[in-house]
Amino acid sequence: MTQNNLGAALQALGKRQDDARSLEEACTAYENALLEITRERSPIGWAMTLGNLAAVRMLLAERTSNASFALLALDDFDEILECFREASLARYMELAEDQRKKAQELVAGLGG
């Protein structure tokens, strides 16, 4: 939980200050959070945390014009969608699908 909160704080800082380094640190914090919040232990918590990571990766892709971050986010959204489908969470699936479309557009726009 602490790593997830740290990721959120770093994400907010990176957004506000247009700071790619803080966004990269947010990615690391979310990745660390996913070591504890596993899909097996807490599928929905895992999907939400992975969604946070994907959102930061999309921000990094936009800020750095690096399509590899957007491609990672696209993979993240595929996993998130699978989890929400298994849990029959239609509203969350819609939100994740919308974000996945944005990631696809970002990949296309960056030539990935």
Side-chain angles (χ1 to χ4, degrees), residues 7 18 28 39 41 49 54 57-58 61 64 67-68 73 79 94-95 97 99-100 103 110 112:
D18 195 22
T28 300
R39 188 170 183 174
R41 286 187 206 161
T49 303
R57 287 175 168 168
M58 287 178 58
T64 64
S68 65
E79 290 189 61
E94 289 176 27
L95 294 171
E97 286 171 356
Q99 290 301 309
R100 188 184 185 287
L110 294 173

Side-chain angles (χ1 to χ4, degrees), residues 34 37-39 42-54 73 75-100:
L34 288 167
I37 306 169
T38 64
R39 188 170 183 174
S42 176
I44 305 309
W46 171 85
M48 298 295 228
T49 303
L50 187 58
N52 293 338
L53 176 58
D75 290 342
D76 294 340
F77 286 121
D78 287 338
E79 290 189 61
I80 292 164
L81 279 165
E82 181 182 319
C83 182
F84 289 154
R85 272 190 207 102
E86 289 171 3
S88 299
L89 296 172
R91 179 65 183 135
Y92 288 106
M93 285 172 52
E94 289 176 27
L95 294 171
E97 286 171 356
D98 288 345
Q99 290 301 309
R100 188 184 185 287

